[in-house]
Amino acid sequence: MEGQTSWIRHCHNDMSRDLEDFDSYLDFTNEGGKEAVVAVSVESILPDDLLERILSYLPIASIFRAGSVCKRWHDIVSSRRFLWNVSHIISQKPWYFMFTSSDEPIGYAYDPVLRKWYAIDLPCIDKSNCFIASSCGLVCFMDNDSRSELHVCNPITKCSMKLPEPLGSMFSDYSALAISVNRVFHNYTISVVKSKQVPGNFFQWDISIHIYDSETMVWVTSLTEVLSGWRGGDESVICDGVLYFLIYSTGGGAPDNRHGLVSYNISNHSSHGLLIRSFIPAPCSLTCGRLMNLKQKLVMVGGIGRQDRPDIIKGIGIWILCGKEWREIARMPHKFFQGFGEFDDVFASCGTDELIYIQSYGAPALLTFDMNLKQWRWSQKCPVTKRFPLQLFTGFCFEPRLEINP
C-alpha cells in the first residue's frame, strides 16, 4: 500500500529506533569516584527456556519486534518449541481486518491488545468481495463469482492453500461459508451451504450441504433437501461439531417470524430428520443477523426491528443460544447505536473467543464488545478516510496465531 509498510516491517522499524538508546550493560561511577560498577542485563543471565517462556506471553506484534532485538531472541521466537508454547500458554485476542477497497484485498488489521492498526496484504485473493470465515488462526475465502474457488490461509504467516472445488452445481442463489479448526490437531472442516430456488416455484428452495475434511482432502455432499416457505442465506457457523445457518421466510409469515435457525450435526452427518425439525425462531424481528462461535457457544448479533416497520432497527442486540431458546445478554447503549444509522443492512458483526466486533458499512467505525467484562468500546480510529460518499467498508475477525498453517 502506497505510503505504508507491512505491519511486520513496521514493528521491526520501531524496534530498531528503540534499540538506539539501549545498552545491555550500564557503566556508572559512584559519587566517591570509586571503581566503576557494571550492571548486568537480566536477559543475559536467563537460560533459553526461561527467556522463551517470558517472550511467549507477549502479544503477537510484540513477538515480531522481539525477534529483531538480537540473534538469540530471533532464534528463540522462530523455534518450533516456542510456537508450541505460544499456542498453549496464552490466548491472543482476535484481530479485525478492515478492507479499504471494494476491488483489492488490501486494508488494515486492528490489534485490540496494543490498540494499533497494521497494514496487511492478504495472500491468495485478488478481490475483497468474497465470502469469508475464520477459526483458530485460519481464514477461508470463497470467491463471489463462481463460488467454487476456495483458499485457506494464515494472515499472519502468509501461508495459504487452494482447495479443490466443491461438489454439485457451481451456481447457487445463496451460499454460506463456515470453517472449524481442531485446536489440538489443527485439522479443519469447511462447510458450504447452497440455496437455489426450485424453477418456477418461489416458495420452494433446494438446500445442499457440502463438507470438506482437511485430512481426507475430499468434499462430500452431506445433505440435499427442499425447504418450503424458507430459503437459505449467507450466514452460517460451526459450533461444537454442529453446523448452524440462518434461513429466511419467502413470504406468508408474520413480520417477527421472518428469520429462523436450523442445524446439521457434522459429527454424525445427521439433521435428526428434516432440517425444518431443528427450526428455532429468531428472538425478535431481526435484521443483519450474524452467527458466531464464542468458545463453543453459539452467539448471534442482530438489529432489532420496529414492530410497525421491521426493516428499520431500533437497537442492536446480542443473544446466546441456550438449548432451543435465545437469551439476550446485551443490548448496545444508545450513544453507540447512534453511530450505526437506522436502516437495514447498515452494519456487520463477527467475533471469536470473548470479543465481538461490530462495524458500520458506511464508515470505518469499529466497535467492540467484551463478553467477559460486558464492556462496549470504540477501537482506535482506523487510518483510512472515506474517498467517496457511497464507499462501503467491510471486514472480518481472526485469531493471530503463528503455529498453525493450512
Side-chain angles (χ1 to χ4, degrees), residues 79 134 184 383:
S79 68
S134 69
V184 177

Side-chain angles (χ1 to χ4, degrees), residues 8 15 44 55 73 83 108 119 122 180-181 195 224 232 261 314-315 319 331 333 337 363 365 384:
I8 297 175
M15 194 62 191
S44 66
L55 294 177
W73 285 30
L83 296 180
Y108 293 89
L122 295 175
S180 177
V181 177
S195 179
T224 57
L261 180 78
K314 61 180 181 180
W319 298 266
R331 187 170 297 198
F337 174 69
V384 64

Side-chain angles (χ1 to χ4, degrees), residues 93-94 112-113 294-295 318 329-330 352-358 367-378:
K93 287 189 176 182
V113 176
L294 272 61
K295 292 190 173 180
I318 300 176
I329 58 174
T352 189
D353 194 29
E354 294 288 353
L355 196 62
I356 294 175
Y357 289 99
I358 300 178
L367 184 66
T368 65
F369 177 74
D370 190 302
M371 293 279 286
N372 278 333
L373 302 177
K374 299 293 187 289
Q375 181 184 62
W376 299 89
R377 189 179 190 185
W378 290 109

Side-chain angles (χ1 to χ4, degrees), residues 23-24 33 36 55 80 92 117 177-178 212 247 251 253 261 265 287 300 302 311 319 327 362 371:
D23 294 312
S24 296
L55 294 177
R80 286 182 175 271
Q92 300 282 346
W117 291 88
L177 176 69
Y212 177 83
I247 56 176
L261 180 78
N265 194 317
T287 65
M300 180 170 65
D311 57 327
W319 298 266
R327 178 169 61 88
M371 293 279 286

Side-chain angles (χ1 to χ4, degrees), residues 301-354:
V301 178
I304 303 171
R306 295 180 180 176
Q307 288 290 338
D308 55 339
R309 293 190 58 185
D311 57 327
I312 297 180
I313 60 177
K314 61 180 181 180
I316 296 176
I318 300 176
W319 298 266
I320 187 170
L321 186 64
C322 300
K324 284 277 195 175
E325 295 184 357
W326 292 105
R327 178 169 61 88
E328 184 173 326
I329 58 174
R331 187 170 297 198
M332 183 183 296
H334 186 68
K335 64 178 181 179
F336 294 112
F337 174 69
Q338 286 179 318
F340 288 96
E342 291 186 343
F343 297 100
D344 194 7
D345 293 329
V346 294
F347 73 93
S349 57
C350 57
T352 189
D353 194 29
E354 294 288 353

Side-chain angles (χ1 to χ4, degrees), residues 172-237:
S172 60
D173 295 302
Y174 297 93
S175 298
L177 176 69
I179 181 174
S180 177
V181 177
N182 185 304
R183 293 182 177 272
V184 177
F185 302 106
H186 294 172
N187 58 300
Y188 53 90
T189 300
I190 296 173
S191 66
V192 177
V193 180
K194 295 185 177 183
S195 179
K196 187 176 182 179
Q197 182 184 348
V198 173
N201 190 336
F202 181 74
F203 290 95
Q204 289 191 321
W205 290 74
D206 283 317
I207 304 293
S208 60
I209 298 176
H210 309 270
I211 306 294
Y212 177 83
D213 187 336
S214 66
E215 292 186 310
T216 62
M217 302 182 70
V218 171
W219 285 95
V220 175
T221 300
S222 296
L223 178 141
T224 57
E225 190 174 312
V226 176
L227 290 183
S228 296
W230 298 90
R231 65 164 176 83
D234 58 2
E235 191 62 29
S236 67
V237 70

Side-chain angles (χ1 to χ4, degrees), residues 60 76 127 187 235 264 283 286 375 402:
I60 289 290
I76 287 177
K127 293 182 179 180
N187 58 300
E235 191 62 29
Y264 176 80
L286 191 67
Q375 181 184 62
L402 298 171

